Amino acid sequence: MKGAIIPCSPPVCHSMDWKKQLASAITSPAALLQQLALKPEQVGNGQAEQLFPLRVPQPYVDRMEPGNPDDPLFKQIWPADEEFRPTPGYTSDPLEEADSNPIPGLLHKYGTRVLTISAASCAINCRYCFRRHFNYQEQSYSESVWDKWLDYIAKNPEIDEVILSGGEPLLMSDNRLKRLSDKLAQLPQIKRLRIHSRLPLVIPLRITDELLETASQSPLQWILVWHINHPNEIDSQVAEAAQKCHQAGIRQFNQSVLLKGVNDNSDALCALSETLFAHHIQPYYLHLLDKVADTAHFDTALEAAEQLYQQMLARLSGYLIPKLVREIPGEHSKTPVYSSNC
Ligand SMILES: *Cc1c(COP(=O)(O)O)cnc(C)c1O
Ligand code: SF4
């Protein structure tokens, strides 16, 4: 542990703005273990950072339980030795997205909506990420590409919604986001601007007054889809950020990934739905893991997933139930997995 750099530690980083919190994210496995009072004998020494770097901002670490090697937040970001275990059937582009990439940074898989890859990196590196092998370098992200997106959308009038995804779209500055939103609003066919982001969860200060102002003044309906997997991820700062979005008229949804050892139990999933709803966030999707190389240890068997889902159906109000889906290449939407006769 000697010589390890701890880039930012509480309470110093609590007084930083979101960009500084982002810049001082923890990237050293040793520093993280030290902060959480965990030992390499318990969790390995994080060598899988060679496959995909460790990256976790302090506000997210603050919600982890020190000394708990099974903490559901820690497990989402820790480079575990299991990642080195090759598993047949798990590949680097399981969604075959390379095929639905008409112009740089634009994915048009589903008729009425296009997905833009608007940033080349993330605030946090989630180990189960389906884009962990994505070649962002091949993509072009400067604002000059926006006109190409707009041309494409104008030529495809069935598109009425633009999704900003990533990477992490909210790494964009507020000014840039406003410019993009304004540009999209010039196309009369576009009704909604949807942002899929993990940044407001990881760094709640990302919900700035400027961003809220842009959203509330836009003629487009803004939608924020949070990516929250476990109720422990929601602390008072996250709740406050969601409250502000709600007040600004942003509609909020959540999608989760079913992750073995993280949230594959109905207590966690039911508590998650309840907590989301209490904070104006509507449960939307529960995704089965995509078959991405180095992530097999997070996968749950289909039967187990269906059983869990049945337990949720029995315990929760209908509107608290996310759709259980998976992504199958070539399909025109996410594919529902649950059949009521199972
Ligand atoms: C998931 C996804 C969407 C959005 O699908 P919804 O079912 O509307 O949430 C759009 N485009 C791509 C490429 C996607 O992967
Ligand atoms: S924030 Fe999303 S895109 Fe980024 S690493 Fe996590 S899961 Fe992947």
Side-chain angles (χ1 to χ4, degrees), residues 64-273:
M64 297 176 189
E65 186 194 350
N68 180 4
D70 296 321
D71 181 89
L73 282 64
F74 176 72
K75 290 193 112 171
Q76 291 182 52
I77 53 90
W78 179 247
D81 291 342
E82 284 104 318
E83 293 183 20
F84 287 112
R85 217 187 287 147
T87 316
Y90 291 74
T91 62
S92 61
D93 181 18
L95 306 182
E96 296 167 23
E97 285 190 331
D99 297 341
S100 24
N101 216 184
I103 32 178
L106 199 73
L107 285 178
H108 189 195
K109 283 209 294 201
Y110 306 152
T112 54
R113 48 247 191 258
V114 280
L115 185 150
T116 70
I117 301 201
S118 20
S121 61
C122 287
I124 182 169
N125 284 348
C126 315
R127 307 314 296 181
Y128 54 85
C129 179
F130 74 105
R131 293 224 168 94
R132 60 183 277 164
H133 304 284
F134 192 82
N135 190 352
Y136 286 117
Q137 267 72 46
E138 276 179 8
Q139 307 279 341
S140 162
Y141 302 99
S142 69
E143 289 191 26
S144 59
V145 86
W146 292 353
D147 286 327
K148 291 190 191 144
W149 296 353
L150 266 78
D151 278 354
Y152 180 87
I153 294 168
K155 286 193 192 113
N156 292 272
E158 74 279 11
I159 297 169
D160 64 5
E161 177 170 347
V162 173
I163 301 172
L164 309 186
S165 181
E168 174 49 80
L170 289 181
L171 287 177
M172 259 191 273
S173 70
D174 286 329
N175 282 336
R176 190 167 162 156
L177 196 57
K178 179 172 173 19
R179 287 197 296 279
L180 179 55
S181 173
D182 289 349
K183 241 182 197 285
L184 293 170
Q186 287 166 10
L187 289 170
Q189 73 198 74
I190 300 299
K191 300 185 191 122
R192 293 177 297 276
L193 176 63
R194 184 193 330 175
I195 299 175
H196 275 255
S197 174
R198 215 160 139 75
L199 190 43
L201 175 72
V202 172
I203 303 180
L205 290 180
R206 177 64 192 91
I207 301 302
T208 59
D209 293 344
E210 293 77 18
L211 180 135
L212 295 167
E213 170 102 356
T214 302
S216 57
Q217 290 187 349
S218 173
L220 305 175
Q221 172 65 58
W222 274 46
I223 297 165
L224 175 59
V225 182
W226 296 73
H227 288 206
I228 309 176
N229 297 314
H230 192 280
N232 290 8
E233 287 173 275
I234 304 173
D235 67 357
S236 60
Q237 290 179 19
V238 174
E240 195 184 320
Q243 176 68 26
K244 286 182 179 172
C245 290
H246 175 68
Q247 278 165 349
I250 300 176
R251 298 283 284 270
Q252 302 177 84
F253 297 91
N254 182 62
Q255 71 174 42
S256 312
V257 184
L258 186 58
L259 298 167
K260 195 192 222 155
V262 172
N263 63 2
D264 61 336
N265 66 84
S266 64
D267 285 345
L269 291 172
C270 290
L272 175 60
S273 273

Side-chain angles (χ1 to χ4, degrees), residues 1 4-7 26-37 54:
M1 215 63 78
I5 302 160
I6 301 181
I26 296 175
T27 54
S28 149
L32 182 63
L33 290 189
Q34 187 179 46
Q35 198 188 133
L36 291 172
L54 169 73

